[in-house]
Amino acid sequence: GENVEQHPSTLSVQEGDSAVIKCTYSDSASNYFPWYKQELGKRPQLIIDIRSNVGEKKDQRIAVTLNKTAKHFSLHITETQPEDSAVYFCARGTSYDKVIFGPGTSLSVIP
Amino acid sequence: DTGVSQDPRHKITKRGQNVTFRCDPISEHNRLYWYRQTLGQGPEFLTYFQNEAQLEKSRLLSDRFSAERPKGSFSTLEIQRTEQGDSAMYLCASSFPLWDRGSLRNTGELFFGEGSRLTVL
């Protein structure tokens, strides 16, 4: 199928701890895996993405890993801060097709 | 502001009425998406366009929903005979397609509008 599964649906961490969100997909043609952050009442915004030709990508405190064989990818946020509190969506797509989103993970960072 | 704009931002209607939403994408983007989002859920794909061509419409989408992008610029999403279950945020997004390497700015990123919130009474 074309859907994306995402876990956990909610996540609470203490400020300074790490947060990990995992997603799985089944369409083996997928080659593009973006992550979007949506703050309350705002539009989703891209925070990081990864293409299928790499296994890991890092941008400051955020990293994404991809295991194409197992068809799963993960978002890692280190040294979490209160402003990281938001809903995070993983998504998948292909070079020629639409982008499909996961159901989201609500992250709360407790000061 | 050169971002994606949507109109109206809020719409309250009675069951059975028709509603139409408009999306103006970023001008150089040739791909345009419509998604629907309900509370606590991810954006649900509805349909998307490459220029004026509608490439796909979700199989889950009722025939009451129709979208157009007549000149490859703005798009409209119409819902006929609205039902209470249609109440949601309707999000529009635009992008370059991933295979279009003509623009150095192309990252595949979807740029979302602020959405049109529909409430069906």
Side-chain angles (χ1 to χ4, degrees):
Chain A
E2 61 180 23
N3 289 341
V4 183
E5 294 186 0
Q6 183 170 349
H7 300 279
S9 57
T10 60
L11 179 60
S12 289
V13 298
Q14 290 291 134
E15 183 177 357
D17 287 351
S18 295
V20 180
I21 303 170
K22 298 181 179 180
C23 289
T24 59
Y25 63 98
S26 55
D27 184 352
S28 56
S30 302
N31 60 3
Y32 174 62
F33 306 91
W35 287 86
Y36 284 77
K37 176 183 180 182
Q38 187 174 29
E39 296 176 355
L40 191 62
K42 297 191 175 180
R43 70 191 87 183
Q45 291 193 303
L46 179 74
I47 54 171
I48 195 168
D49 61 15
I50 192 168
R51 309 293 171 100
S52 60
N53 56 345
V54 297
E56 184 173 359
K57 183 176 179 181
K58 194 171 182 180
D59 182 4
Q60 299 182 347
R61 296 185 297 108
I62 294 174
V64 57
T65 58
L66 170 66
N67 184 328
K68 275 215 85 175
T69 303
K71 295 194 180 73
H72 64 72
F73 56 112
S74 301
L75 177 72
H76 305 252
I77 306 174
T78 58
E79 300 171 22
T80 53
Q81 301 168 4
E83 51 265 39
D84 294 329
S85 296
V87 180
Y88 291 82
F89 297 102
C90 62
R92 56 148 285 271
T94 69
S95 298
Y96 295 89
D97 202 357
K98 59 192 178 290
V99 177
I100 298 295
F101 286 81
T105 296
S106 178
L107 173 64
S108 298
V109 179
I110 305 165
Chain B
D1 182 50
T2 57
V4 178
S5 61
Q6 293 188 241
D7 183 72
R9 295 287 310 281
H10 304 275
K11 179 72 177 179
I12 300 174
T13 191
K14 292 182 179 179
R15 185 165 52 93
Q17 298 296 303
N18 299 344
V19 296
T20 299
F21 301 116
R22 175 180 170 124
C23 171
D24 287 89
I26 293 172
S27 59
E28 58 265 36
H29 286 175
N30 46 20
R31 186 163 280 189
L32 185 148
Y33 292 80
W34 285 100
Y35 291 91
R36 175 171 62 189
Q37 188 175 32
T38 53
L39 195 63
Q41 300 296 315
E44 175 195 2
F45 169 77
L46 297 181
T47 188
Y48 76 129
F49 294 83
Q50 178 74 24
N51 300 314
E52 66 275 10
Q54 188 173 22
L55 298 186
E56 186 174 341
K57 180 179 173 181
S58 171
R59 293 187 300 272
L60 302 176
L61 206 58
S62 160
D63 289 343
R64 297 183 296 104
F65 288 72
S66 62
E68 294 183 339
R69 194 183 183 196
K71 297 182 180 178
S73 56
F74 74 91
S75 175
T76 57
L77 176 69
E78 181 183 19
I79 309 174
Q80 296 182 327
R81 305 181 302 282
T82 53
E83 301 174 357
Q84 288 184 327
D86 297 333
S87 295
M89 178 73 85
Y90 289 83
L91 293 169
C92 176
S94 70
S95 75
F96 289 107
L98 278 175
W99 50 260
D100 182 356
R101 299 299 178 187
S103 168
L104 293 176
R105 296 171 295 171
N106 180 21
T107 61
E109 178 177 0
L110 297 184
F111 291 83
F112 283 89
E114 295 197 65
S116 293
R117 180 171 296 284
L118 173 65
T119 301
V120 181
L121 302 176

